[in-house]
Structure formats: structure tokens, C-alpha cells
Amino acid sequence: VNVITTDALVVRTVAYGESDVIVTLLTEWTGKMSCIVRGGRKSTRRVAGALEPFHTIRVRVDDKGRELSTLREARLVNVRAGIVESLEAVEAAGIALRWARHLCPPRTPEPAAWTTLTTLLDDLDAREGDRSSPRALLAAAGLRLLADVGYALDLERCVSCGKPCPAERAAGIDGARGGLVCAACGGARRVLDSKARAAAVQAQRGKKSAIAPAQAEGLLSLVDEAMAVHADYER
Ligand SMILES: [Zn+2]
């Protein structure tokens, strides 16, 4: 048995049998893992308290090389209690964890995605007033997350013919096709103005505050389109 100790985020929990829980973790060192928590449904188990979402936990996992590992210990190392004070923050955090669950392959470390997610959760936890909207932070994190795992949208040149699009122009972007589609190649239903496109490029490069609240919904729709084609949806 290989014993793994790593930080992790809980991306899903499912009741299993009468007393157990199967938890899907995104771990810092081993990537996505599914673990059984024996007795996890009993609130008396100390482990169970650490399995609420949004917090960073440190886990000890017995890995037998099978699909399902066994979670032996879990303790909270970064509690993000501020998230649950805002419904918008809870929803944004939940969407980000779902994206990560779908986007990250099992047992493949994704250090950049780990950083993007934990940074987003920290920002949602520590939000000050209306200065940064959860939806705008989420849109920026989504664009970055796609880039982190190798699915960056191309927002600067046509995905079909490769022709660059001048930065000052609006452009049609097709999330499912991977980015910009120029007019000569048929264009795309969704059009980003030059400012939104520039903001999205900045967000992809890691500028988490690049997106203005008014740009968030359009960019989130785009991220959703892209996620839908790359994610291996395990509903
Ligand atoms: Zn083209």
C-alpha cells in the first residue's frame, strides 16, 4: 500500500452503503482521486467534519493502485468560512469545483489548476465589498483553468485559418471550437467586443481581476461552452 499525504479540495461527496462516503478529491500532488471514507456518514467521525467543500484539507490516503483509494485521515488546513456568508460566492465556488472535477483527469497532477482554484477560493473567501464580483472572479478563473490544463481558448487568431485578429476589433468566439472564428471562416454566434476580448486574454494569462462585473456573464457562457466539449462529464 502506498501512503499518500497531500493537500486536497473536496470536489464531490456521495453516500455509499449505510455508513460510508465516496469522496472525490482534487489533490495537490496526485491530482484527482476517488476515496472511500469508512464510516464517513457518521457525524462522530472526525474525518467527516473535514469533508465540507471549499476548505483546503490535508489528507492521508492508502492507495492500492485501484480506482478507489481509502481515506484514513483528513484535517482542515485552510478554512474558508467567508464563502458561505455569500450565496453568490457559494455558487461561484461550487461551479469552479465542478469544472475542476470534470476537467482534471484522474491521478494526473495539475499544479497550475490547483493554484488557480485555491486562489479563486481564497479570493471568494476574502472578498471586500463589491469591489470584485464573484461571477467576474469565476469567469477569470474559468478561462485560466482551461489554459492550465491545455485547453486555452485562442482569442487572438482564427482557430480555422490562423489569421490574427487586430486587438481593437470585435470578434466572434466559439467556445466549442476553441476560440476565435474569423468572418471569412463563418464567424461565431457569440461576439466579444475588443475590451471583453482583451480582458479575457489577460485573465487567461493569470490576471484574476481582469474581468469587469459587466463582462462576466458573456465570458462565463463562453467558458461553459468550452468546458462542455473538454470535460468528461461524470454526472
Ligand atoms: Zn479564419
Side-chain angles (χ1 to χ4, degrees), residues 158 161 182 185:
C158 175
C161 70
C182 77
C185 293

Side-chain angles (χ1 to χ4, degrees), residues 100-122:
R101 173 161 62 88
H102 293 314
L103 212 51
C104 296
R107 292 173 182 270
T108 308
E110 295 284 359
W114 170 265
T115 300
T116 297
L117 274 175
T118 51
T119 301
L120 172 69
L121 294 173
D122 286 343

Side-chain angles (χ1 to χ4, degrees), residues 157-164 177 180-187:
R157 52 190 62 72
C158 175
V159 294
S160 180
C161 70
K163 190 178 161 201
R177 291 184 67 184
L180 194 152
V181 183
C182 77
C185 293

Side-chain angles (χ1 to χ4, degrees), residues 7-167:
D7 283 3
L9 294 166
V10 175
V11 294
R12 185 191 217 189
T13 55
V14 178
Y16 183 75
E18 292 205 343
S19 61
D20 301 338
V21 170
I22 292 177
V23 58
T24 308
L25 301 174
L26 188 74
T27 70
E28 184 174 17
W29 302 121
T30 315
K32 189 170 72 177
M33 298 184 80
S34 293
C35 304
I36 189 156
V37 189
R38 298 282 180 206
R41 291 176 72 180
K42 296 184 187 114
S43 56
T44 49
R45 274 292 302 271
R46 201 169 56 85
V47 165
L51 298 183
E52 288 170 32
F54 314 145
H55 310 310
T56 298
I57 60 176
R58 189 155 302 150
V59 296
R60 191 167 65 80
V61 171
D62 286 353
D63 178 16
K64 297 181 185 116
R66 299 190 198 122
E67 196 182 335
L68 205 57
S69 303
T70 303
L71 183 71
R72 295 293 179 197
E73 282 176 28
R75 65 185 176 88
L76 294 159
V77 291
N78 185 0
V79 176
R80 299 187 179 92
I83 293 178
V84 295
E85 289 171 13
S86 152
L87 183 58
E88 262 199 305
V90 167
E91 285 173 350
I95 289 168
L97 292 178
R98 198 173 72 229
W99 283 343
R101 173 161 62 88
H102 293 314
L103 212 51
C104 296
R107 292 173 182 270
T108 308
E110 295 284 359
W114 170 265
T115 300
T116 297
L117 274 175
T118 51
T119 301
L120 172 69
L121 294 173
D122 286 343
D123 290 342
L124 292 172
D125 182 42
R127 215 155 41 88
E128 292 162 30
D130 294 330
R131 203 164 46 83
S132 50
S133 99
R135 300 285 285 176
L137 290 169
L138 178 66
L143 288 161
R144 177 73 182 172
L145 206 52
L146 287 163
D148 289 337
V149 299
Y151 298 137
L153 292 172
D154 195 336
L155 301 166
E156 295 169 291
R157 52 190 62 72
C158 175
V159 294
S160 180
C161 70
K163 190 178 161 201
C165 180

